[in-house]
Each structure stands twice: as structure tokens, then as C-alpha cells.
Amino acid sequence: QVQLVESGGGLVQAGGSLRLSCAASGRTRGTYGMGWFRQAPGKEREFVAAITWTGQTRAYADSVKGRFTISRDNAKNTLYLHMNSLKPEDTAVYYCAAKPDGRAGTRPADFGSWGPGTPVTVSS
């Protein structure tokens, strides 16, 4: 099992930027796909972005395409989410997740390991 811890969340004004990080520890040997999800109050957890083990394939939700960038540094066992042009509707708790193969996934059920989440609040 991979343990995940997110960081980098906070309060930002609309139009601003944040970079989220997710540090992986534990059983980090082997290939695994990773992703970011978010959950706003009263809403279901939704897909944000995903990346394969090699980083060659990335997927984004339509709502963040062109504004968010997912990346990873396997040498540091760290996943990133660069968020630009933030909007109030991006306000949510952001979770990183890992899946036990190198492929990307867009469904929460695809992922077996989850971090505790980091809150992001975008003020208007």
C-alpha cells in the first residue's frame, strides 16, 4: 500500500495560482498511475486530472483543461497539480490518489490509495 499526503492548499483570490504536492511513501516501488480528485461541500468526489507512470499520458476534466497541469517526479515520489486562473467554483478539498498499475484512471474506484486531502478556497 502506498501512503499519500497532500500539501499546498490554502486561500487564494480568483485568478490566482496554487501548486499542490502529494508525497508518496511506503510501497512506492513498482509502477502506479496517479490522479487528483476534488470534493466540494455537498457534492460528490469528482475527477480533476490523472497521469500515467511515465508521465506521457495525462487526462483532465473539461472544467480544468487549459488551467491545471498535472505532473510527477518519480525520483522524489511526488505528484503535483499546478492550478492557474483559479475560480470560486474550484473551491474544494483536493485529494491525490494512486492506482496499482501504471495507467491513468478517471474513476475514484480505479484508485486504491488516497491521501487525507488539502483544502483549496478561491475567493471572488
Side-chain angles (χ1 to χ4, degrees):
Q1 192 86 1
V2 176
Q3 284 80 51
L4 304 171
V5 178
E6 304 92 341
S7 62
L11 174 64
V12 63
Q13 287 188 329
S17 300
L18 280 177
R19 187 185 78 164
L20 304 184
S21 300
C22 173
S25 60
R27 288 192 172 184
T28 57
R29 302 183 78 176
T31 61
Y32 49 97
M34 297 195 75
W36 288 97
F37 291 78
R38 67 187 182 186
Q39 188 165 16
K43 295 188 177 181
E44 293 187 352
R45 191 167 299 190
E46 65 174 3
F47 168 73
V48 175
I51 189 169
T52 56
W53 167 253
T54 62
Q56 288 184 326
T57 300
R58 310 178 194 201
Y60 296 94
D62 288 342
S63 59
V64 306
K65 204 170 291 183
R67 300 187 298 122
F68 291 11
T69 301
I70 188 172
S71 62
R72 65 190 298 168
D73 184 337
N74 291 339
K76 295 181 179 180
N77 292 323
T78 304
L79 175 73
Y80 302 98
L81 185 68
H82 300 257
M83 306 186 294
N84 297 318
S85 302
L86 282 161
K87 304 174 181 180
E89 50 263 45
D90 295 318
T91 295
V93 177
Y94 283 71
Y95 300 89
C96 73
K99 58 196 301 287
D101 60 51
R103 299 189 295 270
T106 61
R107 303 176 306 162
D110 294 332
F111 294 80
S113 299
W114 292 83
T118 185
V120 172
T121 302
V122 184
S123 63
S124 57

